[in-house]
């Protein structure tokens, strides 16, 4: 169930990307969902059909296929890749995404995405949140 929950979280984040894309990929993903659009809205909502597929052992494969389709779209779409992140710790030029759970971490406050290894190095917190606090303090003083 933990793997299914993780896959549902990934699918929700991918749905957020496809929802803002003008390419029509969301329409294609919706077809593949078989009228289960709630999968893109809430990772915690399950239908009876979902629970039955979990019991049969086919639900995880269903989710993996959806994630593969959606992530391939995001990686190859000019509009979607522009919504990716650059790690604000190492500033490496590769684009990272919040649905890449194996390699990235996300600030709980501002939702910025970092490489997992980079965030582990910086124990004092999120650099973006620190900049935002500093900016707000400067505005209060002026």
């Amino acid at each position: 169930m933990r793997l299914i929950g993780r896959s549902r979280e990934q699918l929700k984040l991918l749905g957020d990307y496809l929802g803002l894309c003008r390419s029509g990929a969301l329409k294609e993903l919706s077809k593949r969902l078989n009228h289960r659009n709630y999968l893109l809205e809430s990772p915690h909502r399950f239908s009876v059909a979902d629970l039955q597929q979990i019991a049969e052992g086919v639900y995880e494969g269903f989710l993996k296929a959806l994630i593969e389709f959606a992530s391939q779209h995001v990686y190859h779409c000019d509009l979607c890749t522009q919504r990716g992140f650059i790690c604000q710790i190492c500033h490496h030029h590769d684009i990272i995404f919040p649905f890449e759970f194996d390699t990235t971490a996300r600030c709980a406050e501002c939702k910025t995405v970092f490489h997992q290894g980079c965030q582990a190095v910086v124990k004092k917190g999120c650099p973006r949140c620190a900049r935002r606090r500093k900016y707000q303090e400067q505005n209060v003083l002026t």
Side-chain angles (χ1 to χ4, degrees):
M1 280 303 284
R2 188 179 355 210
L3 290 173
I4 288 171
R6 180 180 159 117
S7 294
R8 289 286 304 270
E9 289 283 344
Q10 283 181 295
L11 191 58
K12 163 76 172 89
L13 291 168
L14 283 160
D16 293 344
Y17 273 83
L18 271 57
L20 294 174
C21 185
R22 297 183 303 231
S23 71
L26 182 62
K27 196 177 268 189
E28 177 60 32
L29 182 63
S30 292
K31 287 180 193 174
R32 294 171 185 234
L33 288 171
N34 294 331
H35 306 289
R36 296 183 192 182
N37 288 339
Y38 62 88
L39 293 173
L40 302 177
E41 297 163 6
S42 172
H44 308 293
R45 188 180 310 160
F46 289 87
S47 70
V48 174
D50 295 337
L51 298 174
Q52 184 177 2
Q53 285 186 332
I54 290 169
E56 293 169 356
V58 296
Y59 193 67
E60 192 174 350
F62 170 69
L63 292 177
K64 285 193 182 299
L66 295 171
I67 290 167
E68 180 64 23
F69 167 78
S71 62
Q72 286 305 309
H73 169 79
V74 171
Y75 292 140
H76 296 98
C77 174
D78 290 337
L79 295 172
C80 291
T81 54
Q82 289 177 22
R83 293 188 55 236
F85 291 81
I86 301 291
C87 179
Q88 293 191 20
I89 297 171
C90 71
H91 301 287
H92 194 272
H93 64 275
D94 62 332
I95 300 170
I96 55 178
F97 297 93
F99 57 84
E100 297 173 323
F101 291 168
D102 293 335
T103 58
T104 63
R106 201 167 184 195
C107 174
E109 187 177 335
C110 71
K111 307 297 185 208
T112 297
V113 181
F114 307 101
H115 295 110
Q116 281 182 350
C118 293
Q119 189 183 35
V121 170
V122 179
K123 298 291 184 192
K124 59 186 170 192
C126 171
R128 181 172 185 234
C129 289
R131 283 194 311 273
R132 291 170 72 192
R133 280 191 291 277
K134 184 178 176 182
Y135 180 74
Q136 288 172 344
E137 289 170 4
Q138 289 175 346
N139 281 345
V140 170
L141 296 174
T142 58

